[in-house]
Amino acid sequence: GDSVTQMEGPVTLSEEAFLTINCTYTATGYPSLFWYVQYPGEGLQLLLKATKADDKGSNKGFEATYRKETTSFHLEKGSVQVSDSAVYFCAPQTRSNYQLIWGAGTKLIIKP
Amino acid sequence: NAGVTQTPKFRILKIGQSMTLQCAQDMNHNYMYWYRQDPGMGLKLIYYSVGAGITDKGEVPNGYNVSRSTTEDFPLRLELAAPSQTSVYFCASSQTGTDYEQYFGPGTRLTVT
């Protein structure tokens, strides 16, 4: 069945470090791909998305590229800030019924 | 626009009690969803709706019921609450079709004791 795998957290980095959170998925066809972020005590909000192969989504300094050949959508940021501390979810969207496939998320902790 | 609103924010129930979690959206979205999020876990889909009068089960529907009489509202009913239903519940909505993001409410933290 459809699934998503993210690197396990927590990921702990110092401020201004480079961030990569890996995401690979298994889904029928070519799903749209989303990264959502959940700040402490809040609901989820869209961080970025990509809808076809080789598309790059970007927002708030974060980027992710839709890699069809490796079924991956890794999240990157060049220089993280304490305010980036949150849980990050990679979520493919199936084209058959538009459902999002959720993994456990990756908790990111940025130390000053 | 208020987006997606949920009430209440917090609730403590005793085992066997019932309650309704309210969800409303003002974006005229056809699709609405109910998820639960257990500590340290991702989201599990409880029920979803593709339009007024149409609902369908998600991954974990047992112990819950929904209705969708209007485009705006999508309440979730818990009957005979059990400790296993202790969780944070999120409502979300989206436009119809692929490529559209889901917009989430702030969540309801429910404890069943």
Side-chain angles (χ1 to χ4, degrees), chain A residues 32 36 38 49 93 98-99 103, chain B residues 31 37 42 45 98-99 102:
Chain A
S32 296
Y36 282 82
Q38 185 177 30
K49 71 178 185 182
Q93 181 190 43
Y98 313 133
Q99 301 300 331
Chain B
Y31 279 59
Q37 184 181 33
L45 183 64
T98 190
D99 302 345
Q102 291 184 16

Side-chain angles (χ1 to χ4, degrees), chain B residues 34-108:
Chain B
W34 273 107
Y35 294 96
R36 59 177 287 173
Q37 184 181 33
D38 297 330
M41 305 293 287
L43 302 181
K44 292 190 185 300
L45 183 64
I46 305 171
Y47 271 95
Y48 67 100
S49 169
V50 301
I54 306 169
T55 62
D56 208 348
K57 295 177 181 179
E59 184 183 356
V60 290
N62 291 346
Y64 307 95
N65 275 302
V66 294
S67 59
R68 184 98 182 269
S69 56
T70 66
T71 298
E72 294 78 20
D73 301 299
F74 190 41
L76 177 72
R77 178 88 178 153
L78 277 73
E79 305 282 1
L80 298 174
S84 61
Q85 293 178 303
T86 294
S87 190
V88 180
Y89 292 83
F90 290 103
C91 179
S93 72
S94 71
Q95 292 181 348
T96 303
T98 190
D99 302 345
Y100 292 111
E101 69 175 285
Q102 291 184 16
Y103 292 81
F104 284 80
T108 294

Side-chain angles (χ1 to χ4, degrees), chain A residues 18-96:
Chain A
F18 184 86
L19 168 71
T20 300
I21 299 178
N22 291 337
C23 169
T24 57
Y25 63 90
T26 304
T28 305
Y30 302 111
S32 296
L33 302 173
F34 297 81
W35 275 101
Y36 282 82
V37 58
Q38 185 177 30
Y39 297 104
E42 297 185 12
L44 281 76
Q45 56 186 275
L46 179 70
L47 180 60
L48 54 83
K49 71 178 185 182
T51 59
K52 60 182 187 296
D54 300 325
D55 263 4
K56 179 185 283 188
S58 60
N59 186 26
K60 299 181 181 180
F62 290 90
E63 292 183 340
T65 301
Y66 191 140
R67 301 287 186 201
K68 187 178 76 172
E69 63 278 6
T70 55
T71 61
S72 64
F73 193 50
H74 304 322
L75 183 68
E76 296 181 336
K77 186 174 185 182
S79 176
V80 293
Q81 306 300 314
V82 172
S83 57
D84 294 327
S85 298
V87 180
Y88 292 80
F89 293 92
C90 177
Q93 181 190 43
T94 64
R95 292 196 181 273
S96 58

Side-chain angles (χ1 to χ4, degrees), chain B residues 2-24:
Chain B
V4 180
T5 57
Q6 292 183 239
T7 56
K9 284 190 168 55
F10 304 93
R11 184 71 186 269
I12 298 174
L13 280 183
K14 294 191 186 304
I15 294 171
Q17 288 184 322
S18 300
M19 76 165 294
T20 299
L21 281 64
Q22 301 293 343
C23 173

